[in-house]
Amino acid sequence: MMNAISLALTNPTLSGGAGGGGDPDRFMFFATRNRMPSGNIVTAASGTEYVCSKIVVNTPQYKTRTFRFHLSGFASTEGGNSPQETIVTGTIGTPGNSVVVDAMFMRALDGVFRQLQFNASNTTTVADQTNGIWTDPLSTPDIDPESAIELWTFYHTAVGEKIWPVYRIQKHRGERVWGASDFATLQAFMSTPDADSTASLDTSYGQQAQPQYYGPDFMVAKGDWDGRPVALGLVDSLGESRQEFSSAADTRGNLGWLRRWLDKDGGLGRIPHCLVGMPGAGSVREYTGSGSSIATRRRDIIREIIAFNGGKWPFTVVGNQMGQNDVSTVYTTWFNTNYRSLPTRIRAEYPGIKIVALPPLGRTDIQKTITLTSVGTVATGTIAAGTTGLVSGQTVSITGATPTAYNGNVVMTVTGPNTFTYDFAGGTSPATGTIRLGDLGLRVEFQAYSANQSWPADGTDASGKWRLHDDIMAQTSACCDAAIDTYPAWVSPSRGGCWPGMLELPSTTLTVQAGTDGVATYNSITVADASFLRPEQTINLYSGPDGVARLSTQIIASIAGNVITYQGTSAVVMPIGTVVRPAASIGESTPASMVHPQPIMIDRISNGVPQSEKSKFVV
């Protein structure tokens, strides 16, 4: 790891003054876990219209001592038009209800609650469709490097009114959400800070349906910043952990491959960062727009930091991961909107800034369109694209057929290069509808490239993503000042441009039989090695000599050693030796495509991009 002196020598523009080569009087992004408001808005319910969210963030590898936190009056959409900042409590142009902040506290490892103020007041009102408000600077005794800080936000609205979404509570890290009908009842939790969350608010833990609660988004601090890079991240759903939810967070609150990679203690060490993007596919909107398409409020809040920072940025470098989830008709849309227009706006906003780009991950389909006929109870499927990657005895999913008796998870027999059969209850022949067969992501050979994603041998395809990859790495048209290649960290070892199939990734087996008679239920299994799995992950369990006949699909609730507890239950009898594999995707209603990296791939990417590449963030 580079020390403060070598960092200052590498980056002399950051040297000078106390703090080991940095600037002790400069507010910088510092906190792990911080997140921009986005997602599903929350409606205040009777009896819990007063809320306290306790969020835990972690500090950098240097001392911090003066803090400011921001509360926003808006949230961004997630999905096709993200990152528009148009989640509001009313409608655009017609402000809705305000959120009253009754108090806010910071609590460090010394256990002392320090009250944060807003313009010298203990309370504030955050109005809808405003940028929000900053806490006043709070000076504390030195906070040790790599410490945990609790942020307690007490707020309320009237019953039935709206509250902006920010955080899914990571309760395994000590985070909590409490609700009551009055502020005084909530304050009592300050004497029992580890008390369980209020049950009606603490629902769907570790799932996409888990509600999100209000709290500070932008966070800055002064301290012994040592001159290391501090990154402002422009990201979409592949960068801002669309594929993971609260219970999968690591000990410092990180979700997703990018945060985990930036916060690893390798190379230059942990790089403090603030990711201002969120899940979605409308990156062309970032840092532009107004009215019903506004995406400039987060930009303007950063301007507020710069103003109270004496003109200094709270970061040193910009990381651009944006736009990789956008699927457009031609290459030029990706490149011109996300790697020319966006960098142009960023450079105009931050003259002289260094932009480091992170080229795209893959996007492949693990379903193919088929036709179905039948004779009696034997269905015959035909795949024009071929049965390559499928084997007899394998469980596949059939969807979209009418009559519905054709649909379900079935065990197939491959009968030719384009045909297969399976047993079913019987029905009218031929089946109608848009019928799809999915292989659950088992073999890379079965994957189909999504539109404009086909892998070329030379990367010169005129319309596809891999020309984008090559142009980013070559810094074509000044799209960036440096690029960090993600491709080797995620790609299949046997097929270019594809995610690894599940057979190419780690698996484990049951060491104790699960189930007894197919009737009695259970909710845990014991495996030989659970080290590559994590809570929230969907797993498939397979039998047979080749481990391709699926017995069950489950979602992991928790892991203790090699004992996996399910979120649900099962009655299926599974003998010792049953194969356990991660599923192809997580956070999707149907695992139809490889878009968001599943947890095992998050680990593969964050571990696979060399930590030495962090040197490219040095200005």
Side-chain angles (χ1 to χ4, degrees):
M1 173 179 167
M2 296 181 73
N3 58 31
I5 295 175
S6 58
L7 273 168
L9 291 173
T10 303
N11 188 3
T13 63
L14 297 179
S15 62
D23 182 348
D25 295 319
R26 182 172 173 180
F27 282 105
M28 303 295 289
F29 295 138
F30 79 95
T32 63
R33 172 68 169 128
N34 65 302
R35 188 181 187 277
M36 298 297 104
S38 72
N40 295 318
I41 205 163
V42 177
T43 301
S46 178
T48 56
E49 64 268 37
Y50 282 77
V51 177
C52 175
S53 65
K54 181 180 76 167
I55 304 301
V56 181
V57 303
N58 288 75
T59 67
Q61 292 178 304
Y62 49 81
K63 292 180 179 179
T64 46
R65 62 181 64 89
T66 307
F67 302 86
R68 298 192 75 170
F69 304 96
H70 185 266
L71 296 170
S72 284
F74 64 93
S76 293
T77 56
E78 294 187 4
N81 67 355
S82 170
Q84 284 186 187
E85 298 150 342
T86 51
I87 297 291
V88 297
T89 62
T91 58
I92 293 295
T94 306
N97 64 267
S98 301
V99 172
V100 179
V101 178
D102 301 292
M104 188 172 175
F105 293 89
M106 170 179 156
R107 181 175 181 249
L109 291 176
D110 60 9
V112 176
F113 283 94
R114 294 178 173 85
Q115 185 148 30
L116 294 153
Q117 292 191 311
F118 308 88
N119 296 319
S121 172
N122 290 340
T123 66
T124 191
T125 297
V126 184
D128 181 40
Q129 298 183 49
T130 65
N131 286 1
I133 190 168
W134 282 95
T135 63
D136 301 336
L138 174 70
S139 295
T140 69
D142 284 353
I143 303 296
D144 287 338
E146 303 188 62
S147 292
I149 293 176
E150 296 175 0
L151 298 170
W152 294 56
T153 306
F154 295 85
Y155 59 92
H156 76 273
T157 67
V159 173
E161 292 187 335
K162 310 296 184 180
I163 303 169
W164 301 287
V166 189
Y167 294 102
R168 293 182 172 96
I169 300 302
Q170 298 177 356
K171 61 184 179 183
H172 65 290
R173 298 182 58 245
E175 296 188 349
R176 297 290 186 270
V177 57
W178 298 287
S181 57
D182 61 87
F183 174 44
T185 300
L186 287 181
Q187 277 191 300
F189 285 106
M190 295 174 70
S191 62
T192 57
D194 295 321
D196 288 342
S197 296
T198 301
S200 63
L201 302 182
D202 182 22
T203 61
S204 302
Y205 184 53
Q207 301 174 48
Q208 187 177 359
Q210 183 182 1
Q212 295 165 262
Y213 294 102
Y214 194 51
D217 42 28
F218 289 95
M219 309 182 194
V220 292
K222 294 181 180 180
D224 291 346
W225 171 52
D226 53 14
R228 74 180 62 212
V230 177
L232 172 67
L234 306 173
V235 299
D236 62 15
S237 58
L238 277 73
E240 181 51 336
S241 47
R242 167 65 171 76
Q243 56 277 9
E244 287 190 298
F245 306 110
S246 57
S247 65
D250 67 16
T251 57
R252 287 172 57 86
N254 296 303
L255 292 167
W257 73 270
L258 183 55
R259 286 185 186 270
R260 292 176 192 270
W261 182 78
L262 287 168
D263 197 51
K264 281 183 181 292
D265 187 11
L268 302 179
R270 305 188 195 277
I271 292 184
H273 55 277
C274 178
L275 305 186
V276 295
M278 64 283 302
S283 55
V284 64
R285 296 169 174 82
E286 186 65 280
Y287 268 45
T288 188
S290 61
S292 61
S293 61
I294 189 170
T296 59
R297 292 193 186 278
R298 286 159 295 126
R299 178 205 68 186
D300 291 346
I301 293 167
I302 294 174
R303 287 179 178 177
E304 294 171 5
I305 303 173
I306 294 168
F308 66 63
N309 223 11
K312 298 176 181 178
W313 303 331
F315 54 89
T316 65
V317 63
V318 165
N320 183 14
Q321 179 273 325
M322 185 70 87
Q324 297 171 18
N325 194 27
D326 294 2
V327 178
S328 57
T329 55
V330 290
Y331 155 84
T332 53
T333 301
W334 282 317
F335 189 68
N336 289 334
T337 60
N338 300 316
Y339 292 94
R340 295 191 70 184
S341 298
L342 178 58
T344 296
R345 292 196 297 275
I346 296 301
R347 289 188 175 109
E349 184 71 15
Y350 312 117
I353 193 68
K354 182 177 185 179
I355 299 176
V356 180
L358 298 126
L361 308 182
R363 188 183 185 110
T364 55
D365 198 347
I366 56 173
Q367 292 193 116
K368 292 181 180 178
T369 300
I370 64 173
T371 59
L372 287 172
T373 60
S374 64
V375 176
T377 58
V378 177
T380 297
T382 301
I383 312 177
T387 55
T388 301
L390 302 175
V391 297
S392 295
Q394 176 178 346
T395 299
V396 296
S397 64
I398 307 289
T399 59
T402 301
T404 58
Y406 283 97
N407 297 327
N409 294 302
V410 303
V411 178
M412 69 171 355
T413 299
V414 176
T415 56
N418 297 92
T419 58
F420 65 94
T421 61
Y422 66 93
D423 295 330
F424 79 126
T428 304
S429 179
T432 59
T434 301
I435 310 170
R436 301 273 280 167
L437 178 150
D439 82 329
L440 306 180
L442 272 178
R443 287 182 174 80
V444 68
E445 295 87 354
F446 185 76
Q447 291 181 39
Y449 297 109
S450 299
N452 309 308
Q453 317 271 321
S454 296
W455 175 256
D458 58 4
T460 59
D461 57 323
S463 63
K465 180 180 280 189
W466 305 115
R467 180 182 170 193
L468 172 66
H469 168 276
D470 289 359
D471 279 354
I472 292 171
M473 292 308 300
Q475 302 171 36
T476 300
S477 301
C479 64
C480 59
D481 302 294
I484 296 174
D485 199 0
T486 55
Y487 183 79
W490 66 264
V491 74
S492 164
S494 60
R495 189 177 178 205
C498 286
W499 294 96
M502 295 303 106
L503 293 178
E504 296 179 307
L505 295 172
S507 64
T508 188
T509 57
L510 266 61
T511 58
V512 177
Q513 177 173 309
T516 55
D517 57 5
V519 177
T521 61
Y522 58 91
N523 70 343
S524 66
I525 56 175
T526 303
V527 299
D529 177 16
S531 63
F532 63 94
L533 300 169
R534 67 170 62 141
E536 300 176 5
Q537 189 163 14
T538 302
I539 53 174
N540 287 320
L541 298 99
Y542 295 88
S543 69
D546 298 322
V548 296
R550 188 183 65 86
L551 294 174
S552 180
T553 295
Q554 300 292 334
I555 300 176
I556 298 174
S558 62
I559 301 173
N562 288 326
V563 176
I564 296 171
T565 299
Y566 296 160
Q567 288 186 5
T569 61
S570 176
V572 178
V573 177
M574 292 187 292
I576 293 172
T578 297
V579 179
V580 181
R581 293 194 179 93
S585 65
I586 189 167
E588 307 295 339
S589 58
T590 303
S593 60
M594 304 280 212
V595 180
H596 301 111
Q598 67 275 16
I600 194 170
M601 287 303 302
I602 288 170
D603 292 338
R604 181 183 175 120
I605 298 166
S606 61
N607 293 330
V609 178
Q611 286 287 298
S612 59
E613 291 287 82
K614 285 180 175 176
S615 63
K616 293 179 179 177
F617 283 94
V618 176
V619 179

